[in-house]
Amino acid sequence: KKKITVALAGNPNAGKSSLFNALTGAHQRVGNFPGVTIEKHEGYLDYRDYRINVVDLPGTYSLTPYSPEEIVTRRFIIDEQPDVVVNVVEGTNLERNMMLTVQLMEMEVDLLVALNMMDEVEEKGFKIDIDQLELLLGSHIVPTSARQRKGLDDLLDHIIRVVDGRIEIKKNKISFSLEVEKAIDKIADLLCHEPELDEAANHRWMAIKLLENDREIYSQVQKYPVWVKIELALQEAITECEFLHGTDPEALITEDRHAFVRGAMQECVRKPKAARATVS
Ligand code: GDP
Ligand code: K
């Protein structure tokens, strides 16, 4: 059988463990992620011609390196390069969950979205325009109900089709404010010309992270001669954003992510009447 690795990523309580258990059943083991005390739940299942190794990443709201969960999640994605990342989202709480989705999009991974808790979505009367949301995300969305073991085969079929290249992941990019985009291009280009930097590195993503003052990426890049020019570009971006928007690139990037998610929700989600007043 061909071996592939699938990583489950999502907010706490999105239903990752339920999905992980439903998929891997008894074939599980618990270890630790390197260097931290966070448990690593790993398991496998055989499906069609594949042995699918499933890694349940820790629940996280973001991919900034502030908590061990966030660091573990993104390190795993960068270092282990799973064949597919399945972002498990809570269908009744999409707006909050999607903030992680957009950050996974930024990493340009082969992303599938498991739209979980569909039973609750239907019961509560949420209407989600899945086709339109897929267009905006550039990723396929598979409705699931992990607790009821529904949608699992559909999800597995999608995973295999991604691996076989029969599903194209569009890898849509969120466009940030003009000044931020200009800075991203400039810094990505500088990174691109640093011969010692890993060729496989995602320069756009690193540029975004540098603009977000990401200390891990800072220390990674600071050792190269190109750092002098990058530091100048960062300084320039800060000055320009402060002048034009009254705020720094880091805050703008967060705002732009929120704006993207808000727009997507307005286009694609109708909340039930009773929930409109209470669910934000
Ligand atoms: P995790 O933190 O992402 O691992 O989430 P869990 O798998 O622990 O799920 C959180 C809670 O949501 C648990 O009470 C689950 O039983 C419940 N849950 C998970 N998936 C579903 C689902 O598809 N439908 C419903 N109604 N509840 C679910
Ligand atoms: K719940």
Side-chain angles (χ1 to χ4, degrees):
K1 288 196 180 281
K2 288 177 249 179
K3 283 188 182 166
I4 60 170
T5 299
V6 172
L8 306 181
N11 289 8
N13 285 317
K16 272 186 321 87
S17 333
S18 304
L19 186 62
F20 175 76
N21 289 331
L23 289 174
T24 61
H27 303 290
Q28 297 182 4
R29 63 195 161 90
V30 184
N32 271 308
F33 286 101
V36 289
T37 54
I38 296 176
E39 277 186 356
K40 181 186 189 187
H41 294 261
E42 215 170 343
Y44 71 87
L45 75 156
D46 291 329
Y47 190 78
R48 301 189 193 277
D49 299 331
Y50 292 88
R51 168 148 298 189
I52 305 177
N53 183 39
V54 185
V55 179
D56 191 9
L57 296 172
T60 172
Y61 293 106
S62 157
L63 295 177
T64 49
Y66 297 123
S67 73
E69 287 79 9
E70 293 163 338
I71 292 173
V72 160
T73 296
R74 73 181 216 188
R75 270 207 197 131
F76 185 87
I77 290 171
I78 292 168
D79 296 344
E80 306 297 323
Q81 304 202 343
D83 297 283
V84 180
V85 176
V86 173
N87 177 204
V88 184
V89 299
E90 201 182 338
T92 48
N93 210 344
L94 258 190
E95 183 155 351
R96 187 172 70 179
N97 279 246
M98 291 270 302
M99 281 304 284
L100 179 66
T101 310
V102 296
Q103 293 175 68
L104 289 166
M105 287 165 66
E106 286 166 15
M107 294 189 82
E108 296 176 41
V109 292
D110 280 331
L111 186 68
L112 285 175
V113 175
L115 182 58
N116 195 36
M117 310 221 179
M118 277 310 283
D119 54 316
E120 280 193 19
V121 167
E122 279 157 20
E123 191 186 310
K124 290 182 177 166
F126 285 80
K127 296 270 178 288
I128 302 174
D129 184 344
I130 292 178
D131 292 342
Q132 184 59 21
L133 194 53
E134 283 181 331
L135 269 180
L136 295 176
L137 300 182
S139 288
H140 283 252
I141 298 172
V142 185
T144 60
S145 178
R147 193 151 77 180
Q148 303 179 328
R149 309 178 63 89
K150 281 190 185 152
L152 302 185
D153 282 359
D154 197 16
L155 180 62
L156 291 168
D157 284 331
H158 273 79
I159 288 168
I160 284 169
R161 271 182 264 155
V162 170
V163 174
D164 286 349
R166 281 178 294 148
I167 285 182
E168 189 199 351
I169 311 288
K170 292 274 186 337
K171 304 202 174 167
N172 288 1
K173 291 178 179 59
I174 288 194
S175 33
F176 296 106
S177 307
L178 190 62
E179 294 69 35
V180 173
E181 282 294 337
K182 276 197 311 196
I184 291 172
D185 284 347
K186 193 167 183 179
I187 295 165
D189 188 57
L190 288 168
L191 289 168
C192 197
H193 287 90
E194 174 54 62
E196 281 186 47
L197 206 65
D198 186 359
E199 262 181 55
N202 180 344
H203 298 126
R204 179 180 166 87
W205 182 76
M206 289 176 83
I208 295 169
K209 292 293 130 185
L210 288 169
L211 285 159
E212 288 189 280
N213 295 311
D214 187 305
R215 56 181 149 77
E216 273 214 329
I217 308 299
Y218 258 74
S219 58
Q220 210 177 314
V221 178
Q222 264 167 339
K223 54 182 179 245
Y224 299 116
V226 76
W227 177 249
V228 185
K229 287 183 182 165
I230 290 177
E231 208 174 16
L232 265 176
L234 287 169
Q235 206 47 58
E236 223 174 77
I238 292 170
T239 309
E240 203 170 2
C241 289
E242 293 281 4
F243 179 71
L244 287 164
H245 301 277
T247 186
D248 58 11
E250 185 180 5
L252 276 176
I253 287 170
T254 307
E255 275 174 32
D256 291 338
R257 283 185 190 129
H258 276 290
F260 175 87
V261 171
R262 216 163 32 238
M265 294 301 97
Q266 271 163 12
E267 254 186 272
C268 305
V269 181
R270 289 283 160 273
K271 287 175 187 166
K273 272 208 178 74
R276 270 179 210 153
T278 51
V279 181
S280 66

